[in-house]
Amino acid sequence: TSEVAGLNSATGIALAEIYDADSGSTTSYLANISARADVVSGGNVLIAGFVVEGAQPTKVLLRGVGPALGLAPFSLTGVLAQPLIGLYDSKSILIASNTGWGSGPNPGASTVAATIRQATAADMSSAGAFPLQGASADCAMVAMLPAGGYTLELSGVGGSIGIGLVEVYLLQ
């Protein structure tokens, strides 16, 4: 876990980065990235950037969590009630979005050769992610992505705000 906090309780926007410096190795990989923060609107949405390498497409589980953070074991107050995730290509063009993991993803205008589908409880279990309630507004989708840079943005439907968690898991 890496934590970013302001010195003397200062506030503002921060960026935390992690890199796999062993780029020549085929035995090491980053299995998950996540970040929890206050999700506001405009330029203050929560963003997770990641890069897919290799000649073969990679399957990832993408999640935007809000309501589940209000339940045990997290029991947070002020959570993002209506999360919205958007997966963007390296040109900031939407590939797909989701507003409730029980519903299918909505396609975007990106021309990246990605395959997107609805996430399942089995996907979450195989990734080691905590389960989401079946009818929750929490977001999740599975993407098969070619090599390239991507961003997963977590915002609130209609500009709603609250505490949110954005996650990207490697699915093997």
Side-chain angles (χ1 to χ4, degrees):
T1 301
S2 174
E3 190 172 310
V4 177
L7 183 63
N8 298 320
S9 299
T11 61
I13 298 172
L15 174 64
E17 298 178 308
I18 184 169
Y19 296 90
D20 181 356
D22 194 9
S23 62
S25 172
T26 59
T27 60
S28 69
Y29 58 89
L30 188 60
N32 165 251
I33 61 167
S34 63
R36 189 186 88 187
D38 288 322
V39 177
V40 190
S41 59
N44 296 320
V45 299
L46 189 51
I47 302 171
F50 62 101
V51 175
V52 171
E53 292 183 324
Q56 298 300 315
T58 298
K59 189 187 320 183
V60 292
L61 169 65
L62 309 166
R63 301 195 330 167
V65 180
L69 297 177
L71 305 173
F74 309 108
S75 303
L76 300 176
T77 58
V79 298
L80 186 61
Q82 291 289 316
L84 164 67
I85 55 172
L87 174 63
Y88 292 85
D89 64 21
S90 62
K91 296 178 183 173
S92 298
I93 300 171
L94 181 67
I95 297 171
S97 63
N98 180 260
T99 55
W101 80 274
S103 62
N106 300 306
S110 174
T111 59
V112 167
T115 303
I116 311 293
R117 68 167 172 81
Q118 183 174 344
T120 66
D123 292 321
M124 295 179 211
S125 177
S126 71
F130 62 87
L132 299 175
Q133 290 188 340
S136 79
D138 296 300
C139 305
M141 56 187 176
V142 172
M144 182 70 80
L145 301 171
Y150 301 93
T151 56
L152 182 64
E153 295 186 9
L154 173 60
S155 60
V157 172
S160 58
I161 62 173
I163 299 169
L165 174 68
V166 65
E167 301 176 301
V168 179
Y169 290 91
L170 177 64
L171 286 174
Q172 304 241 350

